[in-house]
């Protein structure tokens, strides 16, 4: 059972917090946690990015955001890929 989902905007050198390059989510449940990112394949897939960020690795900045903000980023990515 899912107990909590936390969303993060992914910002690199070519994007901003207002226009992030991507979105991650951490899903925490009774059995542990796992992270997923929404990609240009238009699917949520497992990602090590948040774990790397927490260890100080990586070139991206991550900012916690609301579910509504995450949905807007997902729709922007979807639109950029499909043109719809």
């Amino acid at each position: 059972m899912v107990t909590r989902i936390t969303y993060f905007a992914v910002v690199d050198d070519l994007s901003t917090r207002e226009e992030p390059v991507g979105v991650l989510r951490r899903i925490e449940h009774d059995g542990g946690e796992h992270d997923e990112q929404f990609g240009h394949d238009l699917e949520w897939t497992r990602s090590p990015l948040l774990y790397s960020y927490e260890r100080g690795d990586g070139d991206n900045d991550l900012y916690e955001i609301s579910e509504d903000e995450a949905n807007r980023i997902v729709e922007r990515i979807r639109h950029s890929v499909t043109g719809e």
Side-chain angles (χ1 to χ4, degrees), residues 44-81:
W44 286 100
T45 56
R46 292 229 180 196
S47 172
L49 188 59
L50 189 50
Y51 290 120
S52 294
Y53 179 80
E54 290 171 335
R55 288 190 312 269
D57 299 337
D59 298 324
N60 301 313
D61 291 320
L62 303 180
Y63 300 96
E64 187 171 335
I65 58 173
S66 69
E67 183 177 4
D68 287 341
E69 288 176 284
N71 288 335
R72 284 193 291 276
I73 297 166
V74 165
E75 286 309 310
R76 184 173 48 81
I77 293 169
R78 192 181 311 278
H79 178 73
S80 72
V81 171

Side-chain angles (χ1 to χ4, degrees), residues 7-67:
Y7 296 91
F8 299 87
V10 180
V11 179
D12 64 9
D13 291 339
L14 302 175
S15 64
T16 65
R17 194 167 194 282
E18 294 74 28
E19 292 276 335
V21 69
V23 64
L24 293 170
R25 66 184 179 191
R26 172 162 284 167
I27 301 172
E28 299 174 74
H29 47 80
D30 294 339
E33 66 185 22
H34 70 275
D35 302 331
E36 299 175 333
Q37 78 179 50
F38 189 82
H40 289 277
D41 59 356
L42 306 181
E43 299 286 332
W44 286 100
T45 56
R46 292 229 180 196
S47 172
L49 188 59
L50 189 50
Y51 290 120
S52 294
Y53 179 80
E54 290 171 335
R55 288 190 312 269
D57 299 337
D59 298 324
N60 301 313
D61 291 320
L62 303 180
Y63 300 96
E64 187 171 335
I65 58 173
S66 69
E67 183 177 4

